[in-house]
Amino acid sequence: MPATLRDVAELAQVSVRTVSNVVSGYAHVSERMRQRVLAAIEELDYRANPVARTLRTGRTGMLALVVPEIDVPYFSELARDVIDAAAEFGYRVMIDQTGHDHERERRLLMGDDRTMLFDGILFSPLVTKSELLDMHRSEHMPLVLLGEHEFDGRFDHVAIDNVRAARDAVAHLAASGRTRIAAIGAQPLEEYSTPLLRTAGYEAALEEAGLEAPPEYATPAPHYSRTDGYGAATALLALSPRPDAIFCFSDLLAVGAMRAVFDAGLSVPEDVAVIGIDDIEEGRFARPSLSTVSLDTPFIAREAVRRIAARIDDPSAPAEEVVAPHRLVVRESTAAV
Amino acid sequence: MPATLRDVAELAQVSVRTVSNVVSGYAHVSERMRQRVLAAIEELDYRANPVARTLRTGRTGMLALVVPEIDVPYFSELARDVIDAAAEFGYRVMIDQTGHDHERERRLLMGDDRTMLFDGILFSPLVTKSELLDMHRSEHMPLVLLGEHEFDGRFDHVAIDNVRAARDAVAHLAASGRTRIAAIGAQPLEEYSTPLLRTAGYEAALEEAGLEAPPEYATPAPHYSRTDGYGAATALLALSPRPDAIFCFSDLLAVGAMRAVFDAGLSVPEDVAVIGIDDIEEGRFARPSLSTVSLDTPFIAREAVRRIAARIDDPSAPAEEVVAPHRLVVRESTAAV
């Protein structure tokens, strides 16, 4: 029979309530008392089961990775890299999906009950900037944000330079001789950061290249999905003048856009060049292979795990922002013609 | 200050050890005593934190979905469907990845510590049949197995008819006039069920069609990845006579195989027809669109969650096996020429 709280209390010569307070992490226990209880816990190897041990150590050895949609390849490939990186730090990772549910994201950041099963959260949010400003859970639960840009310094954050990534993609299209460059994923319905920042990069690159684009060249894409890309590209191809290049805000959008070009009886890259962002494996095997801006997900994963591990060990450490590198990868879909 | 174990013990007029035994789920507590303790827990609303509540109820409201690789689209799309189905039953799902690590799978089934954070496990294993026979954790942790076939009735199991699925794919190729039909994913290095069963279906369909295939037409694929498909197809295309059709044991293999055909200067479906199994979204947008055997993942997910929910409520319920339907989906990659 494993040791009970009472056994611990007897050995430490304190009340059961004091032991309970210590293992629950409540304040109002003197350091001297706490040490006495911890020594007794150690000596008796008090751990009725893993959940009880969680009470004792306050650690589960598990991180939660929270993403909007696990069936989006960018997130599933990021998850793979996070799992690999976490293993090097001795953590296991479980993946949670918010499913574009803002309310769920908010509850999670405000401190959903179940998040207490984890030592820390790696969070790739869809929340808008103003929503994020309302959240203040980070003092209680170690949290690292992934992928967005322009937070306010209260959160650990591994960012992407979204403006620059978009600018690099569009500058490449312009340098390849394309003059009518459209965008899929711009014009967000809500004030999400990523689409706004990538739209800013798109517009900056057009201006730098001395190009203009009619407003209808910047099209929305609610879910960055293949279906969204297909629908948006089909609409773009019906415009006059027709775009000769499409910059998609994700590779998945670009895969859908390429299929739409073929179904319209046109060719990629001959009639329309297509480029994405992400560098998912699907794009490397697509036909034609997809040019993209490669986000360094192994770097993002490693930095995120390094930050969360540091924060778990020292919850009062100042928040840190790391910007992950990216690079243009030119493949068949944007070949000059 | 929330109620402690001692408060509960005082109200129930039992020892703290008895309360501890009840919340830990140990035996050797009479039912009368247990009811008295539970009544006191109820009255005091004893729950220092969610972990403590887990001790009390023995439930976390969480299921674990364990898959070999989360960045394989079949598994990430299955995960999406499982999350949706679980929500209807009031469960949340966290995803765990074994990464083709047999030892990790084994530990998990034998009762990894951390699995106790979950009410049940949905498990898509890579373990071999003989390994599975050694496992006997299901009495302790509700478990439903996914996707394989031919278990021994000790586990709840949502199966695919792998033999029939493979036979349907190959019969379609034969009916389309293909006579030199190769397979990628056969010849497993270890005694995994899925490749063996699909190979049996491949061979049965060839025989039914009166076709023969040289042994080198059945090629291995260690990870069912795009890269594996590319490499295996490249090797197949160098054979003489060259296959005029390739049956791939997964859509991901087929995506890689199609790219290999193009890179060899040949066409799909004109020179080589290609078909997969799974029906991942990537295949619908590929060029040409990929013929496949569609596995009904929403059905698999729903049945798996229904089974695990029933087993959590009644751990002694007899194990059940459900076979998920599948159907042939003919697209451009196997058009008759």
Side-chain angles (χ1 to χ4, degrees):
Chain A
M1 180 73 74
T4 64
L5 280 184
R6 174 171 287 269
D7 298 332
V8 174
E10 275 166 13
L11 183 64
Q13 294 185 290
V14 299
S15 70
V16 170
R17 179 183 290 266
T18 299
V19 177
S20 171
N21 284 345
V22 169
V23 295
S24 305
Y26 287 119
H28 311 308
V29 180
S30 74
E31 186 55 28
R32 196 174 57 87
M33 203 70 106
R34 209 176 70 86
Q35 288 304 332
R36 212 203 279 170
V37 170
L38 290 177
I41 282 172
E42 196 68 35
E43 187 167 333
L44 292 171
D45 194 24
Y46 169 66
R47 45 173 178 186
N49 63 37
V51 177
R53 192 174 60 221
T54 295
L55 278 174
R56 182 168 65 97
T57 65
R59 301 271 179 100
T60 61
M62 301 226 299
L63 303 176
L65 170 66
V66 183
V67 297
E69 292 184 303
I70 192 57
D71 60 322
V72 167
Y74 175 74
F75 291 119
S76 61
E77 294 179 12
L78 175 67
R80 173 201 59 203
D81 292 336
V82 166
I83 288 166
D84 288 346
E88 288 176 28
F89 282 80
Y91 283 100
R92 268 182 65 194
V93 178
M94 300 288 296
I95 304 155
D96 196 7
Q97 155 175 299
T98 55
H100 292 281
D101 179 346
H102 274 222
E103 186 48 38
R104 175 117 170 244
E105 290 197 339
R106 205 176 292 122
R107 276 202 313 273
L108 198 144
L109 283 181
M110 301 303 273
D112 182 313
D113 272 8
R114 288 148 183 168
T115 58
M116 294 193 66
L117 298 174
F118 299 95
D119 294 344
I121 305 181
L122 307 174
F123 189 29
S124 183
L126 279 181
V127 289
T128 61
K129 256 159 80 174
S130 54
E131 285 172 341
L132 208 59
L133 289 174
D134 292 337
M135 297 168 181
H136 47 75
R137 182 67 192 173
S138 60
E139 313 93 60
H140 308 290
M141 167 63 79
L143 175 73
V144 172
L145 292 169
L146 301 179
E148 290 289 330
H149 196 234
E150 290 191 351
F151 287 132
D152 66 349
R154 287 179 306 137
F155 300 100
D156 284 301
H157 179 210
V158 183
I160 297 157
D161 188 341
N162 276 301
V163 176
R164 188 60 185 262
R167 224 174 65 184
D168 290 353
V170 175
H172 162 64
L173 293 173
S176 314
R178 309 288 172 164
T179 55
R180 302 184 305 279
I181 303 174
I184 298 178
Q187 288 190 350
L189 300 174
E190 296 182 71
E191 184 224 353
Y192 293 129
S193 293
T194 299
L196 291 175
L197 295 166
R198 292 186 183 175
T199 301
Y202 163 68
E203 290 170 350
L206 289 181
E207 196 180 320
E208 282 159 25
L211 296 174
E212 287 188 15
E216 62 269 28
Y217 270 24
T219 57
H223 287 106
Y224 281 30
S225 64
R226 296 178 188 90
T227 305
D228 280 359
Y230 189 93
T234 301
L236 284 171
L237 296 173
L239 295 177
S240 176
R242 195 177 69 204
D244 63 1
I246 304 177
F247 163 47
C248 298
F249 283 20
S250 82
D251 280 358
L252 219 51
L253 286 171
V255 165
M258 288 208 293
R259 181 74 214 195
V261 173
F262 305 131
D263 287 353
L266 301 169
S267 290
V268 178
E270 290 77 4
D271 300 303
V272 184
V274 175
I275 190 168
I277 290 187
D278 284 341
D279 195 14
I280 61 174
E281 191 178 278
E282 180 173 349
R284 283 168 241 163
F285 284 82
R287 179 181 173 227
S289 57
L290 179 65
S291 296
T292 190
V293 177
S294 182
L295 305 180
D296 192 340
T297 53
F299 177 95
I300 294 169
R302 206 168 47 244
E303 284 300 303
V305 171
R306 188 184 63 75
R307 279 310 303 155
I308 200 85
R311 178 152 299 280
I312 290 166
D313 289 339
D314 178 10
S316 66
E320 208 178 278
E321 172 149 331
V322 181
V323 178
H326 66 258
R327 69 190 169 87
L328 179 71
V329 178
V330 178
R331 300 201 185 99
E332 296 163 350
S333 69
T334 58
V337 290
Chain B
M1 179 75 72
T4 64
L5 280 183
R6 174 172 285 269
D7 297 332
V8 174
E10 275 165 13
L11 182 64
Q13 294 184 289
V14 300
S15 70
V16 170
R17 179 185 289 265
T18 299
V19 176
S20 170
N21 284 344
V22 169
V23 295
S24 305
Y26 287 119
H28 310 310
V29 180
S30 73
E31 186 55 28
R32 196 174 57 86
M33 203 70 106
R34 210 176 70 85
Q35 288 304 333
R36 212 202 280 171
V37 170
L38 290 177
I41 282 172
E42 195 68 35
E43 186 166 334
L44 292 171
D45 194 23
Y46 169 66
R47 46 173 177 185
N49 63 36
V51 176
R53 193 174 60 223
T54 295
L55 278 174
R56 183 166 65 98
T57 65
R59 301 270 179 100
T60 60
M62 301 226 300
L63 303 176
L65 170 66
V66 184
V67 297
E69 291 184 303
I70 192 56
D71 60 324
V72 167
Y74 175 74
F75 291 119
S76 60
E77 294 180 11
L78 175 66
R80 173 202 60 203
D81 292 337
V82 166
I83 289 166
D84 289 346
E88 290 175 26
F89 282 79
Y91 282 100
R92 268 183 64 195
V93 178
M94 301 287 297
I95 303 155
D96 196 7
Q97 155 175 299
T98 55
H100 292 281
D101 180 345
H102 274 221
E103 187 47 39
R104 175 116 170 245
E105 291 197 339
R106 205 176 292 122
R107 276 203 313 274
L108 198 144
L109 283 182
M110 301 302 274
D112 182 313
D113 271 8
R114 287 146 183 171
T115 57
M116 294 194 65
L117 298 173
F118 300 94
D119 294 344
I121 305 181
L122 306 174
F123 189 29
S124 182
L126 278 181
V127 289
T128 60
K129 256 159 82 173
S130 54
E131 285 172 342
L132 208 59
L133 289 174
D134 292 337
M135 297 168 181
H136 48 74
R137 181 66 192 176
S138 60
E139 313 91 61
H140 309 290
M141 166 64 78
L143 175 72
V144 172
L145 293 169
L146 301 178
E148 290 288 332
H149 195 234
E150 290 192 350
F151 286 133
D152 65 349
R154 285 178 307 136
F155 300 100
D156 283 301
H157 178 210
V158 183
I160 296 158
D161 188 340
N162 276 303
V163 177
R164 188 60 184 263
R167 223 172 66 184
D168 290 353
V170 175
H172 162 63
L173 293 173
S176 314
R178 309 289 172 164
T179 56
R180 301 185 304 281
I181 303 174
I184 299 178
Q187 288 190 352
L189 301 174
E190 297 181 71
E191 185 225 352
Y192 293 130
S193 294
T194 299
L196 291 176
L197 295 167
R198 293 186 183 175
T199 301
Y202 164 66
E203 290 170 349
L206 288 181
E207 196 180 321
E208 282 158 24
L211 296 174
E212 286 189 15
E216 63 268 28
Y217 270 24
T219 58
H223 287 105
Y224 281 29
S225 64
R226 296 179 189 89
T227 305
D228 280 358
Y230 188 93
T234 302
L236 283 171
L237 296 173
L239 294 177
S240 177
R242 194 178 68 205
D244 63 1
I246 304 178
F247 163 47
C248 298
F249 283 20
S250 82
D251 281 359
L252 219 51
L253 285 171
V255 165
M258 288 208 295
R259 182 73 214 195
V261 173
F262 306 132
D263 288 353
L266 300 169
S267 291
V268 178
E270 289 77 5
D271 299 303
V272 184
V274 176
I275 190 168
I277 291 187
D278 284 342
D279 195 13
I280 61 174
E281 191 179 278
E282 181 173 348
R284 283 168 242 164
F285 284 82
R287 181 182 172 227
S289 57
L290 179 65
S291 296
T292 190
V293 177
S294 182
L295 306 179
D296 192 340
T297 53
F299 177 94
I300 294 169
R302 206 167 47 244
E303 284 300 303
V305 172
R306 188 183 64 75
R307 278 312 302 155
I308 199 83
R311 178 151 300 282
I312 290 166
D313 289 339
D314 177 10
S316 65
E320 208 179 279
E321 172 149 332
V322 181
V323 178
H326 67 258
R327 69 191 168 87
L328 179 71
V329 177
V330 178
R331 299 200 186 100
E332 296 163 350
S333 69
T334 58
V337 289

